[in-house]
Amino acid sequence: DVKVTQSSRYLVKRTGEKVFLECVQDMDHENMFWYRQDPGLGLRLIYFSYDVKMKEKGDIPEGYSVSREKKERFSLILESASTNQTSMYLCASSPTGLATDTQYFGPGTRLTVL
Amino acid sequence: QKEVEQDPGPLSVPEGAIVSLNCTYSNSAFQYFMWYRQYSRKGPELLMYTYSSGNKEDGRFTAQVDKSSKYISLFIRDSQPSDSATYLCAMSLPNDYKLSFGAGTTVTVRA
């Protein structure tokens, strides 16, 4: 079974803090994604990585950066957290970069920024 | 206007009922249509995937795509309490990595 794990289920941070969200997949997938999920808005893509050190901006990259130093690990960084970044963050991986390929999601990290 | 519209519900039905979910979309270039299921405190998981127009059946689940109306549906027959979840539609352009998601519809099946 594919397993995607995220470092924290719940996280509370203060405005202005630097926040790291970690995601690890164990299936040797090339592609990894970071989404945020908000009520009424669905999932929105923040960043996509198709290989180590390679990334592409998604629909809402502002205020976020990512790091992929190893194939299995994809980190989302909030350089200076703000209250409007309070959300559920979901990481996903897939064998190929095509949207038609199944994306396997982690359980999510609920981040609250005070 | 959002690219994909989905009524968030919530929808509550008795066990055994047919659940009908749908999404509308604005981009006529979408070719691939998916339904993801998300249980509480879990990430979404792919339920069904359809290419272009037509129907697809998988057990109690049927997905329909009507490209002329830009409308997709998911039907759940003989619904069970274990079907209680949020159902998200998603769609993509050909050869693209991006999925456009609906907001999700929360379904509760009452025993």
Side-chain angles (χ1 to χ4, degrees), chain B residues 7 9 24 30 36 43 45 49-51 57-58 71 83 93 96 103 106 108:
Chain B
D7 186 341
T24 59
F30 284 140
Y36 278 78
E45 56 179 348
Y49 149 58
T50 311
Y51 170 67
E57 195 170 312
D58 183 2
Y71 187 90
D83 295 325
L93 300 171
D96 198 359
T106 299
T108 301

Side-chain angles (χ1 to χ4, degrees), chain B residues 68-89:
Chain B
S68 61
S69 303
K70 295 184 208 160
Y71 187 90
I72 70 171
S73 303
L74 178 71
F75 299 97
I76 308 173
R77 290 185 300 281
D78 187 25
S79 57
Q80 304 294 311
S82 58
D83 295 325
S84 298
T86 297
Y87 291 82
L88 300 121
C89 63

Side-chain angles (χ1 to χ4, degrees), chain B:
Chain B
Q1 183 194 3
K2 286 196 286 189
E3 208 169 30
V4 181
E5 298 277 0
Q6 183 177 8
D7 186 341
L11 198 59
S12 180
V13 300
E15 184 174 356
I18 294 175
V19 177
S20 173
L21 305 167
N22 55 73
C23 292
T24 59
Y25 60 95
S26 57
N27 189 344
S28 58
F30 284 140
Q31 289 281 357
Y32 299 94
F33 304 91
M34 299 115 198
W35 287 94
Y36 278 78
R37 179 175 60 195
Q38 185 176 21
Y39 289 116
S40 181
R41 292 186 297 278
K42 301 273 190 183
E45 56 179 348
L46 183 65
L47 192 60
M48 294 189 73
Y49 149 58
T50 311
Y51 170 67
S52 195
S53 281
N55 292 0
K56 186 172 185 178
E57 195 170 312
D58 183 2
R60 296 183 295 110
F61 298 87
T62 299
Q64 289 183 351
V65 175
D66 181 349
K67 289 198 72 185
S68 61
S69 303
K70 295 184 208 160
Y71 187 90
I72 70 171
S73 303
L74 178 71
F75 299 97
I76 308 173
R77 290 185 300 281
D78 187 25
S79 57
Q80 304 294 311
S82 58
D83 295 325
S84 298
T86 297
Y87 291 82
L88 300 121
C89 63
M91 44 202 80
S92 76
L93 300 171
N95 301 315
D96 198 359
Y97 65 86
K98 279 194 194 177
L99 285 173
S100 294
F101 281 89
T105 302
T106 299
V107 174
T108 301
V109 180
R110 308 186 306 271

Side-chain angles (χ1 to χ4, degrees), chain A residues 21-62:
Chain A
L21 303 182
E22 304 284 336
C23 175
V24 178
Q25 50 96 2
D26 67 357
M27 282 303 292
D28 203 35
H29 284 170
E30 300 290 333
N31 305 281
M32 298 187 75
F33 307 80
W34 273 107
Y35 294 90
R36 63 178 282 177
Q37 184 175 26
D38 300 289
L41 296 177
L43 275 73
R44 291 178 292 166
L45 182 65
I46 305 171
Y47 267 98
F48 161 60
S49 170
Y50 53 93
D51 202 349
V52 174
K53 297 189 189 294
M54 306 305 286
K55 62 188 178 187
E56 282 200 21
K57 292 180 180 179
D59 297 318
I60 50 164
E62 296 79 20

